[in-house]
């Protein structure tokens, strides 16, 4: 199975799908599935823009609405999680997961889905300690504070994922698991993002709940986005000797590493 993985979509479905269709043609391959690691921006209409936490000058309809309205159909089955720049009013309607548009499935705030013989789990949002132990208290119409807190990961959602006993093959998170940089080329990362160094030293770069899930679920593959750079790491799990291949990708912009096709997923 060929699975394409995309970092931050930022609503630019047209360009991502066009890139994949081009790769299919020139490489003579078939892509079976697209995974997106957050900031998908499933904006259906101008009203949805009010729940999108970006400065007003950057609020744009982009292209999801074409797939929602039926003007276009996604050329590949697409599964996505939420990030910190979403039309959160719409994603809240799909809290437990569901079809955001034909061929486009939202994993929910925390969820698992089976695609073929592959089990895919995901955690939406980003970690902020001051909201982690709270419930989902936000109500429409969202205030300026609500449109930020709504996408902060809650302990309740993480707890549900920690109950999973069957193996997960692929896991998606928007945040990187905290400590993941120890398993990759840290020097190369800091050459690209030198301002990460202090957070890495303090142990605050990334998500503690994601790291807890990584240690519990131990999936063969983990994909993330959020920090707008490509970074690969390998995590060895002492508990059972298994390992997790981690890959973070950039946002959809020309010349950026926002997309990768996993030609073969070596799954049991």
């Amino acid at each position: 199975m060929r699975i394409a993985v995309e970092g931050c979509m930022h609503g630019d479905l047209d360009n991502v799908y066009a890139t994949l269709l081009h790769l299919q043609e020139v490489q003579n391959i078939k892509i079976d599935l697209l995974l997106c690691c957050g900031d998908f921006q499933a904006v259906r209409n101008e009203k949805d823009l009010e729940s999108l936490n970006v400065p007003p000058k950057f609020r744009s309809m982009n292209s999801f609405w074409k797939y929602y309205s039926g003007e276009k159909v996604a050329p590949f089955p697409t599964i996505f999680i939420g990030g910190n720049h979403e039309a959160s009013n719409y994603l809240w309607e799909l809290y437990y997961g569901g079809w955001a548009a034909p061929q486009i499935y939202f994993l929910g705030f925390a969820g698992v889905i089976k695609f073929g013989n592959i089990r895919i789990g995901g955690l939406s949002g980003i970690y902020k300690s001051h909201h982690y132990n709270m419930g989902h208290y936000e109500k429409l119409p969202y205030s300026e504070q609500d449109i930020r807190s709504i996408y902060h990961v809650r302990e309740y959602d993480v707890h549900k994922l920690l109950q999973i006993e069957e193996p997960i093959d692929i896991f998606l998170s928007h945040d990187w698991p905290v400590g993941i940089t120890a398993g990759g080329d840290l020097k190369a990362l800091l050459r690209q993002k030198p301002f990460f160094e202090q957070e890495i030293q303090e142990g605050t770069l990334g998500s503690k709940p994601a790291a807890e899930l990584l240690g519990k679920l131990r999936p063969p593959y983990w994909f993330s986005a959020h920090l707008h750079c490509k970074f690969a790491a390998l995590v060895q799990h002492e508990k059972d000797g298994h390992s997790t291949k981690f890959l973070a990708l950039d946002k959809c912009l020309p010349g950026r590493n926002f997309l990768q096709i996993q030609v073969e997923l070596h799954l049991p």
Side-chain angles (χ1 to χ4, degrees):
M1 182 180 293
R2 282 188 175 88
I3 296 179
V5 184
E6 203 271 336
C8 297
M9 181 76 81
H10 288 288
D12 202 359
L13 281 71
D14 280 352
N15 281 332
V16 171
Y17 288 143
T19 301
L20 289 173
L21 289 169
H22 175 71
L23 288 172
Q24 273 199 151
E25 184 176 350
V26 298
Q27 296 183 13
N28 193 27
I29 59 173
K30 181 182 181 297
I31 295 168
D32 300 294
L33 176 66
L34 171 64
L35 301 176
C36 179
C37 302
D39 285 357
F40 191 80
Q41 295 186 8
V43 175
R44 302 165 294 178
N45 49 53
E46 291 186 356
K47 187 70 176 175
D48 284 350
L49 292 174
E50 296 175 8
S51 297
L52 189 67
N53 181 30
V54 298
K57 66 179 180 179
F58 294 123
R59 289 179 177 173
S60 171
M61 288 292 293
N62 294 319
S63 54
F64 172 79
W65 66 271
K66 301 175 187 177
Y67 301 86
Y68 179 81
S69 68
E71 179 180 321
K72 290 188 172 184
V73 177
F76 313 98
T78 302
I79 297 172
F80 74 98
I81 57 167
N84 57 312
H85 299 296
E86 303 290 359
S88 296
N89 60 321
Y90 183 31
L91 295 192
W92 181 252
E93 295 176 20
L94 301 172
Y95 171 77
Y96 295 102
W99 295 103
Q103 285 268 84
I104 301 175
Y105 189 87
F106 174 50
L107 263 178
F109 279 51
V112 179
I113 192 173
K114 193 168 186 180
F115 183 85
N117 64 344
I118 293 178
R119 280 169 53 85
I120 302 166
L123 177 67
S124 292
I126 61 171
Y127 172 67
K128 293 292 181 183
S129 59
H130 54 285
H131 287 134
Y132 185 59
N133 298 116
M134 292 184 176
H136 294 287
Y137 62 84
E138 299 84 1
K139 295 182 180 179
L140 289 167
Y142 294 144
S143 67
E144 284 298 311
Q145 179 183 357
D146 287 344
I147 66 170
R148 292 171 176 82
S149 62
I150 186 66
Y151 57 72
H152 291 163
V153 169
R154 300 310 209 271
E155 183 181 23
Y156 171 70
D157 295 315
V158 174
H159 181 73
K160 288 189 291 184
L161 291 169
L162 287 170
Q163 308 315 303
I164 294 171
E165 295 184 357
E166 293 184 35
I168 296 290
D169 300 307
I170 298 172
F171 198 89
L172 309 177
S173 68
H174 192 57
D175 267 343
W176 299 13
V178 70
I180 197 70
T181 54
D185 190 341
L186 180 57
K187 289 183 178 179
L189 176 64
L190 292 178
R191 283 196 296 270
Q192 186 180 2
K193 301 279 187 176
F195 47 90
F196 284 179
E197 185 169 13
Q198 183 175 348
E199 289 180 83
I200 291 170
Q201 290 176 350
E202 295 171 349
T204 57
L205 185 79
S207 165
K208 292 181 180 179
E212 185 180 5
L213 286 167
L214 175 61
K216 168 65 166 58
L217 301 176
R218 302 186 297 279
Y221 294 89
W222 187 297
F223 301 116
S224 298
H226 188 45
L227 297 182
H228 294 170
C229 63
K230 184 176 181 179
F231 179 75
L234 183 67
V235 180
Q236 298 287 348
H237 301 289
E238 295 182 3
K239 185 172 182 178
D240 55 13
H242 292 171
S243 63
T244 297
K245 293 179 180 178
F246 172 84
L247 179 66
L249 292 165
D250 207 331
K251 60 181 175 179
C252 179
L253 284 175
R256 306 284 279 269
N257 293 309
F258 66 90
L259 194 63
Q260 180 150 325
I261 297 174
Q262 300 297 117
V263 178
E264 289 184 29
L265 288 178
H266 297 286
L267 298 172

